[in-house]
């Protein structure tokens, strides 16, 4: 019951409401409330405070999540590793949206014809990492820098180049560009390069597709990865490369737990994706 309560608190911290937490855990809103109440009684401390339709976490709740969250996810991942996958068990592949669109769509369409029990989800890299570590996903396909410490296999596939996209000719490095969220841990290394070159991040978007479309509409040049250029079929005349930006690449990884790879269906899917980058 203690682990159940902690899981509920972790999801509540992400979702912010009892109803969304219940939907994600496939339980009723009242069941969420009861789980949290039991956890509070067990720990002897208040964990949540109502704040209108939202739920506010107390300092004790934040401390508990910080101290217990990583270990809880690791325990959940270890339990996941001991589950046997039969021919109809769902294998979850958690991907970066840009990567699944740019590199996997055709291959997975074909793959799905021989294994229909594949579920694809899309998240940013930090969430993909968390999902693989906790066993929520069997395989992660992500871009950007990984955390310094992790408990999974990280198979480096390639370093994806970036291009500057704009609807007008660029003969020199622009002074300001549209970028993706530089606070995202997987993108944070870009900030130092741009600062060194004297380039100001004009806007920080949450979607490379949106950045590219703004650039093509003339808003400002945008830093866009190769996968998005490919997905949107952006004409070469709108794509620009500069030697100074050559170090702005993002590594692409397949990540998975070692014991998960021992499952034949997981191994086959991993090898199928990796073969696309040989």
């Amino acid at each position: 019951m203690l682990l159940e309560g902690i899981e509920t608190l972790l999801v509540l911290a992400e979702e912010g409401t009892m109803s969304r937490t219940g939907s994600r855990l496939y339980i009723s809103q009242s069941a969420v409330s009861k789980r949290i109440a039991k956890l509070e009684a067990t720990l002897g401390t208040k964990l949540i405070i109502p704040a209108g339709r939202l739920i506010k976490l107390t300092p004790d709740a934040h401390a508990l999540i910080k101290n217990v969250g990583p270990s809880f996810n690791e325990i959940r991942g270890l339990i996941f590793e001991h589950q046997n996958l039969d021919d109809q068990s769902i294998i979850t592949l958690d991907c970066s949206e840009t990567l699944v669109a740019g590199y996997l769509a055709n291959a997975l369409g074909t793959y799905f014809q021989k294994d229909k029990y594949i579920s694809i989800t899309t998240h940013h890299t930090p969430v993909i990492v968390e999902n693989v570590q906790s066993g929520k996903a069997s395989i992660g396909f992500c871009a950007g820098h990984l955390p310094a410490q992790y408990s999974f296999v990280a198979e480096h596939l390639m370093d994806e180049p970036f291009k500057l996209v704009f609807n007008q000719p660029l003969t020199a490095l622009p002074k300001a560009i549209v970028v993706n969220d530089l606070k995202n841990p997987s993108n944070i290394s870009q900030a130092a390069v741009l600062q060194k070159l004297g380039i100001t991040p004009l806007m920080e978007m949450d979607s490379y597709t949106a950045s590219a479309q703004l650039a093509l509409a003339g808003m400002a040049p945008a830093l866009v990865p190769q996968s998005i250029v490919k997905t949107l079929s952006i004409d070469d005349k709108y794509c620009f490369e500069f030697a100074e930006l050559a170090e702005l690449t993002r590594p692409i990884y397949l990540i998975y737990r070692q014991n998960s790879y021992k499952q034949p269906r997981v191994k086959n899917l991993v090898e199928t994706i990796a073969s696309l980058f040989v």
Side-chain angles (χ1 to χ4, degrees):
M1 295 298 292
L2 182 60
L3 292 178
E4 189 178 71
I6 291 173
E7 178 186 33
T8 304
L9 180 65
L10 292 174
V11 175
L12 182 59
E14 295 176 0
E15 298 295 340
T17 71
M18 294 283 192
S19 60
R20 289 203 297 262
T21 299
S23 296
R24 183 163 151 186
L25 294 174
Y26 299 101
I27 60 177
S28 67
Q29 184 172 331
S30 62
V32 173
S33 182
K34 289 177 181 178
R35 286 186 180 185
I36 296 298
K38 288 180 180 179
L39 182 60
E40 289 178 329
T42 301
L43 299 177
T45 187
K46 193 70 175 173
L47 297 174
I48 64 171
I49 301 171
R53 297 181 61 186
L54 300 177
I55 295 296
K56 181 179 179 181
L57 301 183
T58 67
D60 284 342
H62 284 295
L64 179 64
I65 290 170
K66 179 180 179 181
N67 293 327
V68 176
S71 298
F72 177 83
N73 284 332
E74 181 59 23
I75 291 171
R76 186 160 51 188
L78 291 170
I79 294 172
F80 169 79
E81 286 185 349
H82 288 83
Q83 296 177 346
N84 290 318
L85 297 176
D86 59 32
D87 290 343
Q88 295 185 2
S89 297
I90 297 296
I91 294 177
T92 299
L93 172 62
D94 201 7
C95 304
S96 160
E97 181 183 3
T98 60
L99 297 184
V100 72
Y103 298 112
L104 294 191
N106 291 334
L108 288 182
T110 301
Y111 192 91
F112 192 71
Q113 300 308 309
K114 62 179 181 179
D115 189 345
K116 295 186 180 297
Y117 296 96
I118 305 294
S119 176
I120 301 172
T121 56
T122 56
H123 292 102
H124 293 311
T125 294
V127 177
I128 295 172
V129 167
E130 179 184 324
N131 286 345
V132 171
Q133 290 188 141
S134 68
K136 293 179 183 177
S138 303
I139 305 168
F141 183 46
C142 55
H145 294 277
L146 300 177
Q149 296 182 338
Y150 49 81
S151 57
F152 48 75
V153 176
E155 188 173 340
H156 178 246
L157 300 179
M158 68 174 289
D159 290 315
E160 184 179 40
F162 281 84
K163 297 181 185 295
L164 281 177
V165 172
F166 199 37
N167 71 342
Q168 303 169 31
L170 291 176
T171 57
L173 278 176
K175 296 296 183 183
I177 62 174
V178 177
V179 298
N180 255 43
D181 184 8
L182 296 179
K183 295 181 288 296
N184 184 322
S186 61
N187 298 335
I188 199 167
S189 62
Q190 297 177 10
V193 177
L194 296 177
Q195 184 178 27
K196 181 177 66 176
L197 295 173
I199 299 175
T200 301
L202 182 63
M203 289 179 278
E204 295 186 32
M205 307 296 292
D206 193 48
S207 163
Y208 281 117
T209 298
S211 298
Q213 297 289 17
L214 288 174
L216 292 172
M219 175 74 73
L223 190 66
V224 178
Q226 174 179 281
S227 51
I228 287 297
V229 172
K230 179 181 177 182
T231 300
L232 298 181
S233 300
I234 301 175
D235 195 290
D236 287 345
K237 67 182 179 181
Y238 301 126
C239 299
F240 305 92
E241 299 180 35
F242 295 91
E244 297 93 327
L245 297 178
E247 62 182 302
L248 275 179
T249 62
R250 62 175 189 168
I252 295 177
Y253 295 99
L254 264 176
I255 62 176
Y256 46 88
R257 299 182 70 92
Q258 183 65 59
N259 283 346
S260 298
Y261 187 72
K262 296 176 182 177
Q263 302 277 356
R265 290 177 57 224
V266 172
K267 181 179 179 180
N268 192 38
L269 182 54
V270 166
E271 291 179 348
T272 298
I273 296 172
S275 70
L276 301 175
F277 295 85
V278 174

